[in-house]
Amino acid sequence: MKILVTGGCGFIGSHTVVELLEAGYEVVVIDDFSNSRRSVLDAIQEITGKVPFFYEGDVKKKELLRKIFREHSIDAVIHFAGYKAVGESVQQPLKYYENNLESTVHLCEVMSEFSCKKLVFSSSATVYGSPKSLPIREDFPLSTTNPYGTTKLMIENILRDLVVSDSHWSIALLRYFNPIGCHASGLIGEDPKGIPNNLMPYILKVAMGELPHLNVFGNDYDTKDGTGVRDYIHVADLARGHLKAIEYVMNTEGIDAYNLGTGKGYSVLDLVKTFEKVNHVSIPYEIRARRPGDIAICYADPSYAKEKLGWCAEKDLETMCLDAYRYVAKQAHKEEKVE
Ligand code: UD1
């Protein structure tokens, strides 16, 4: 079976490509490297011993999509490609609406032209806004607090309309909680360009001595130690969830949403302490004001994904911290050798 993966060189995309290749799928990747690197393709080959078909370019370009569908008999698509920086989306909303919406609409149009109607979409727990109770279930009310989140929710709605218009579509909306960690080989991982916005990438920069300390955004939340609580999930577990979703959409019609989380909440300081303990490094931190738009606690009820997709997360927080650090340490070692 042949799967097209848009954004297949990105953080979650590359881990999913590895899982797909190892499970025996043929994989076609399209990526424009706007937030990823070409070297990811070599790393994928080193891990799996296989090379995915690759097209460099923008998913908005229908002609390029048509070329891919003409050259390959695609059975299903996993759509990751999209901008994802919350702060930037507030500064440049039109860039986010244009890119994330147009790419999805064009992708679905071309899929339809080629009668490929099986899609797994990369959504986010951000669509739950500020949840009224916990754990978060898929049927909770949806709302967003920034343009990035709004693009995810708008795309979910566009895809629901599409299924209403044509019942042959089968679509899984995967709502990710907080993916961290990296492949156990240390060859692919999260490597954001510039100063990171998210917690684990920031901790990694501090661990490597590139930033002096972590800023902890608020210690006055109503949580066990006052810092924000999130459902951190190992990216390899998340990637496996996509394979389960592909199997599911291949055998069904309709559209549904699934939480991909562990169901466990950890605070910022839990993460810092676990990281320090397993990696034997110190992460100095300073308490700062709350970050606007942040919520106190967010964790999933992942039982629907278990029931429908037969998926659940397996890796614990210690493994997430070990694997995340292994990747950046390995990257730094490679850079030293080059110098
Ligand atoms: C953020 C996005 C969310 C997106 C997700 C992708 C915001 C408001 N939300 O979620 O839309 O889907 O990333 O992974 O940006 N923290 C610090 N110091 C830091 C960074 C974060 O204390 O330098 C804290 C935050 O206050 C929060 C926790 O760490 O309590 C996790 O933050 P982060 O990794 O940015 O994820 P989310 O805010 O959950």
Side-chain angles (χ1 to χ4, degrees):
M1 205 156 53
K2 210 178 240 187
I3 313 292
L4 172 63
V5 181
T6 75
C9 294
F11 175 43
I12 306 171
S14 58
H15 287 81
T16 303
V17 169
V18 165
E19 295 288 333
L20 288 166
L21 290 171
E22 286 184 336
Y25 289 95
E26 287 189 274
V27 179
V28 182
V29 169
I30 173 170
D31 200 300
D32 67 357
F33 300 122
S34 57
N35 193 26
S36 61
R37 292 162 213 267
R38 191 178 293 276
S39 57
V40 168
L41 292 167
D42 301 328
I44 289 172
Q45 187 180 0
E46 202 174 331
I47 295 169
T48 64
K50 296 176 184 171
V51 191
F53 296 97
F54 178 72
Y55 292 80
E56 181 173 353
D58 186 336
V59 181
K60 294 197 293 299
K61 301 271 183 281
K62 279 204 214 177
E63 265 320 308
L64 176 58
L65 292 175
R66 288 193 183 105
K67 177 176 156 65
I68 295 172
F69 276 85
R70 272 196 302 271
E71 290 177 2
H72 301 271
S73 172
I74 303 288
D75 295 290
V77 178
I78 307 181
H79 181 35
F80 291 106
Y83 294 152
K84 62 171 191 178
V86 174
E88 186 187 56
S89 80
V90 176
Q91 305 300 322
Q92 301 178 58
L94 299 181
K95 174 176 166 179
Y96 275 67
Y97 289 115
E98 190 213 24
N99 185 68
N100 294 2
L101 300 184
E102 194 175 313
S103 60
T104 308
V105 170
H106 286 185
L107 174 66
C108 290
E109 282 171 340
V110 174
M111 285 176 70
S112 204
E113 283 171 25
F114 287 83
S115 298
C116 172
K117 298 184 179 179
K118 309 284 184 187
L119 176 66
V120 174
F121 173 62
S122 173
S123 187
S124 165
T126 195
V127 300
Y128 295 114
S130 187
K132 295 282 171 287
S133 64
L134 294 156
I136 299 172
R137 287 200 322 268
E138 287 83 352
D139 59 0
F140 275 25
L142 305 177
S143 67
T144 57
T145 53
N146 57 70
Y148 154 75
T150 307
T151 66
K152 291 291 180 194
L153 186 51
M154 289 172 81
I155 293 169
E156 286 200 3
N157 289 332
I158 290 169
L159 297 176
R160 285 181 193 282
D161 288 342
L162 185 59
V163 173
V164 169
S165 75
D166 177 353
S167 62
H168 292 111
W169 280 90
S170 182
I171 302 180
L173 310 169
L174 302 184
R175 295 178 180 157
Y176 311 148
F177 281 70
N178 290 58
I180 58 171
C182 74
H183 190 266
S185 64
L187 291 168
I188 50 172
E190 191 171 20
D191 201 2
K193 295 177 178 171
I195 301 230
N197 298 307
N198 298 118
L199 181 59
M200 180 56 98
Y202 206 104
I203 289 178
L204 291 168
K205 296 265 184 210
V206 176
M208 297 304 292
E210 290 171 40
L211 291 168
H213 60 261
L214 171 70
N215 297 307
V216 174
F217 298 139
N219 66 347
D220 56 352
Y221 286 107
D222 188 12
T223 60
K224 65 172 187 171
D225 57 23
T227 65
V229 168
R230 296 290 183 274
D231 184 337
Y232 297 99
I233 175 169
H234 196 294
V235 66
D237 277 335
L238 196 68
R240 270 193 312 107
H242 294 74
L243 270 67
K244 293 290 187 184
I246 283 286
E247 284 168 24
Y248 188 79
V249 295
M250 288 312 295
N251 296 307
T252 53
E253 288 180 345
I255 182 165
D256 218 341
Y258 309 90
N259 285 341
L260 296 191
T262 65
K264 296 190 188 82
Y266 290 102
S267 72
V268 174
L269 295 184
D270 283 336
L271 193 61
V272 168
K273 284 178 197 146
T274 305
F275 190 95
E276 290 184 320
K277 186 181 85 182
V278 300
N279 292 314
H280 311 291
V281 287
S282 162
I283 305 295
Y285 64 84
E286 292 181 6
I287 305 293
R288 298 272 181 244
R290 292 180 181 195
R291 183 171 65 178
D294 272 359
I295 55 175
I297 311 180
C298 172
Y299 60 93
D301 176 345
S303 55
Y304 194 60
K306 185 163 190 189
E307 181 195 324
K308 291 295 218 188
L309 308 179
W311 171 90
C312 65
E314 287 165 4
K315 294 179 190 279
D316 62 14
L317 194 66
E318 296 197 350
T319 309
M320 297 181 215
C321 291
L322 274 169
D323 287 349
Y325 191 46
R326 185 182 307 112
Y327 171 70
V328 290
K330 208 162 184 158
Q331 292 295 107
H333 185 66
K334 268 193 209 159
E335 276 163 28
E336 263 171 33
K337 271 174 121 177
V338 171
E339 280 161 18

